[in-house]
Amino acid sequence: MATHRIWNPAAECMPREQLRALQLERLKDVVRREYDNVPLYRRRMDEKGVKPEDIRSLDDLQYLPFMQKTDLRDEYPTGLFAVPRREIVRLQGSSGTTGKPILAGYTRNDLDNWSEMMARTIGAANATADDIVQVAYGYGLFTGGMGAHQGATKLGAMVIPMSSGNTAKQIMMMQDVGTTILSCTPSYAIHIAETIHEMGIPLSSLKLRAGTFGAEPWTEAMRKRLETLLNIDALDIYGLTEICGPGVAYECLEKQGMHVNEDHVIVEIIDPVTEKPLPYGEKGELVFTTITKEGMPMLRFRTHDLCQLDASPCACGRTFVRMKRIMGRTDDMLIIRGVNVFPSQIESVLVSIHGVAPHYMLVVDRQGATDTLEIQVEITEDVFADTVGQLETLEKQINERIKSVVGISANIKLVAPKSIPRSEGKAKRVIDKRKL
């Protein structure tokens, strides 16, 4: 049984009744501030006939209008700020390289709260001031690097602000400084781990014992691979630029879902079609409401992430509700020949097959009126040396597994080791050539 260190027991283990009372108090306050200071949201509330004083219980949250990513684009750059611009001390944004970024404004209190949420996140890996945290998320507008950095600093840990890339130097720092916690995307962690083994570096020369990995979906099979490659506890974290960045939710060492920081955000699950709230345990779309954010509060922000919530007690002692792994998305899922396909489904198949590396690419195209799916699958060095017959057998095995799990057949293309581009940030898994 895992031993759990909890960074802020007063908050993270707060009795549910006390937590709900705190949420309601903060919700009333943020709805009033949003109504008074953000014209877009005031207009939407007026259109629905809802006034701030109508929010008398947490159940009344469902009567508030939604917000979503398009609102941040439409109101770019500062139209959603709920405080005077002089109170905004930082901007963070999306990591996209084209078009206008998604921007979020933070007050000093917002940064303090975000640091607290990330301290809990890294602390859930049993991190303390004695740890050395290597941050290999990207720095800049992207929230990953700064978020992990602030959280580790709040803990009192030593921080190595490596950012992403330069993998050989990452590994050198791990060895020379004695990194104990790694924070980066899971796909980059896999790349680091594979490089360590390729360089012949014994794990005994490293002091790594845990990693906090997020910014992209990953599977339980990827967790097992990471834990095997690096001999660490690999923990999932969840965040969105629009809410605060990383730190919205975090796994403890029980690894049974991510605890949502419910004293700072209220989480809902809704039916993405009817938009009605669903009970705990039902699969639906994640919706978040920030209740402590000052600079740019988000009320009922639709994430388009499909998930389930678990309110059962956790053995770690934290009382926050847990969200399970993201099961896909409502807005960027692939519809191929009438079938809803999520890359995570295909990944779960690939990582379970011997001889297949955790690197793949989905290429979707259209021939005439028919959608085609090619799955480029990177194989390991030992399998690459197999005979043509053996490779054909592997292709057939993968295709049958994919068809069984996803419901459609695909063209499986086995490719050489290291031929699929590695990512130092969010892994690119899909190329959609269709003109949809």
Side-chain angles (χ1 to χ4, degrees), residues 27 126 211 411 424:
L27 176 63
N126 279 358
N411 174 32
E424 295 174 349

Side-chain angles (χ1 to χ4, degrees), residues 219 221-222 225 343-362 374-380 394-395 397-399 401-402 405-406 410 412-414 420 429:
T219 61
M222 276 189 73
R225 180 166 175 77
S344 57
Q345 292 175 301
I346 292 172
E347 178 176 299
S348 67
V349 171
L350 296 180
V351 296
S352 69
I353 297 176
H354 173 72
V356 173
H359 304 287
Y360 63 95
M361 186 72 71
L362 311 183
E374 178 184 273
I375 305 176
Q376 298 175 6
V377 182
E378 191 173 294
I379 54 179
T380 57
L394 179 59
E395 285 181 353
Q397 178 190 7
I398 294 172
N399 197 6
R401 293 262 195 100
I402 294 290
V405 172
V406 181
I412 307 302
K413 181 180 180 181
L414 302 182
I420 291 178
R429 302 294 198 194

Side-chain angles (χ1 to χ4, degrees), residues 157-168:
M158 181 191 295
V159 184
I160 308 176
M162 290 295 296
S163 193
S164 57
N166 201 341
T167 304

